[in-house]
Amino acid sequence: MASGDHAGRLGEEFFTPGSSSFTEFLAAHRPELLSTRRVLPDGVRAQGAPHGTTVLALTYGNGVLIAGDRRATMGNLIAQRDLEKVHPADDHTAVAFAGSVGLALDLVKLYQVELNHFEKIEGIPMTLTAKATRLATMIRNNLGQAMQGLAVVPLLAGYDPAAPEGGRGRIFGFDVAGGRYEKYGFHAEGSGSPYARGALKKLFRPGMSRREATLTALQALYDAADDDSATGGPDLTRRIYPVVSVITGDGYERLSEAETEELSREMAEQRRGRPDGPNAGV
């Protein structure tokens, strides 16, 4: 990105006062590097691009859990069986996505840089609300491509140390136009989200342990896969399981493959006797 007269020297743009947003910096000086700014020609709609499907989040005892299935589809075809849809944004925030896979992965990487850049420039991390607002702005910048079929719908979960005790796990959902909505208790996005939200509404309760929250998330993803062909359930033969991560005061942690496999097999065994899943607690 150097544009100075001497090779190897930074250009003047690096020394010009501006905002602490890395995205705005790129938009001003190298907009061609922003995938969210590239719009297809008029009248062209994207077809056949891989799409990620169901992701969800729920709060529990001392944090928040975020999870996603592993399937990406391309029309009626399975494009990938082991896609990673849940990513850490920083030490206490994670983002998961549904929608166009290529754009979503670019958006996640840019968002990670955005948060890191802000902290280096300002000397302090963003508040969780500010992180959600910044992500909403980045989604809004993709509106042109979303209207042509390349939509990205992320889900943001984080631990907010400034929130009251018992409410520090927070969840934010978004729409394709960049609308930001805080969700309480649980939320899901993607093609299987109506079924996942139905399961979460039935099984969620405040104050769950991490293990209970993980089983609830796996049950919800199983229900989504049961009714939505684009969502992949636990693949016991290939040993491909949902990605499950938790965020607490200790930071972001992805559950190990061994733990996710153990709980997925436990849940699948429960389904043998009750294929439609557990009943809601009374």
Side-chain angles (χ1 to χ4, degrees):
M1 290 179 63
S3 61
D5 295 331
H6 303 284
R9 295 184 62 180
L10 295 176
E12 291 184 4
E13 62 268 25
F14 289 91
F15 304 98
T16 302
S19 80
S20 55
S21 169
F22 182 73
T23 306
E24 292 178 8
F25 177 80
L26 279 184
H29 301 288
R30 293 291 297 275
E32 71 276 10
L33 296 178
L34 287 172
S35 60
T36 55
R37 295 298 178 97
R38 301 173 195 147
V39 181
L40 299 173
D42 290 343
V44 175
R45 284 189 61 82
Q47 294 182 344
H51 275 65
T53 48
T54 308
V55 294
L56 59 84
L58 66 151
T59 58
Y60 71 100
N62 59 351
V64 60
L65 178 148
I66 186 166
D69 81 308
R70 304 292 295 275
R71 179 173 293 178
T73 58
M74 194 163 55
N76 63 329
L77 301 176
I78 298 175
Q80 188 173 349
R81 299 180 188 275
D82 60 352
L83 178 66
E84 301 272 343
K85 303 177 189 176
V86 179
H87 301 268
D90 63 15
D91 290 342
H92 290 89
T93 317
V95 61
F97 66 83
S100 300
V101 173
L103 277 179
L105 291 173
D106 279 353
L107 182 70
V108 169
K109 292 175 184 175
L110 183 59
Y111 185 58
Q112 292 168 334
V113 174
E114 181 80 2
L115 298 187
N116 189 37
H117 180 77
F118 178 93
E119 186 168 349
K120 287 182 177 179
I121 295 297
E122 299 293 337
I124 57 171
M126 283 188 195
T127 65
L128 186 56
T129 300
K131 293 175 189 177
T133 301
R134 187 62 59 91
L135 182 56
T137 300
M138 296 173 67
I139 298 166
R140 192 174 302 117
N141 289 338
N142 188 52
L143 182 58
Q145 293 187 90
M147 294 298 99
Q148 293 180 307
L150 293 173
V152 177
V153 183
L155 179 62
L156 184 72
Y159 180 85
D160 186 355
E165 184 72 32
R168 292 179 179 171
R170 298 174 67 189
I171 301 167
F172 293 89
F174 306 85
D175 61 35
V176 294
R180 187 204 78 187
Y181 313 96
E182 183 162 5
K183 305 295 183 176
Y184 297 96
F186 58 85
H187 188 58
E189 293 285 3
S191 60
S193 61
Y195 314 108
R197 283 200 295 267
L200 290 170
K201 188 174 183 179
K202 176 179 70 173
L203 300 174
F204 175 81
R205 56 182 176 78
M208 290 188 292
S209 67
R210 186 175 102 160
R211 188 176 192 280
E212 291 170 331
T214 303
L215 282 170
T216 296
L218 292 173
Q219 293 280 8
L221 289 172
Y222 192 105
D223 278 347
D226 199 33
D227 288 299
D228 172 44
S229 62
T231 303
D235 191 332
L236 303 182
T237 55
R238 293 184 177 89
R239 300 184 69 180
I240 299 173
Y241 306 101
V243 174
V244 181
S245 297
V246 295
I247 313 164
T248 65
D250 294 328
Y252 173 92
E253 177 190 354
R254 174 171 169 165
L255 271 63
S256 68
E257 285 289 320
E259 184 176 0
T260 307
E261 178 177 359
E262 177 192 349
L263 294 177
S264 294
R265 290 186 178 276
E266 178 181 330
M267 182 268 300
E269 187 61 34
Q270 292 172 359
R271 291 276 179 155
R272 291 181 186 274
R274 190 182 291 273
D276 292 331
N279 292 330
V282 178

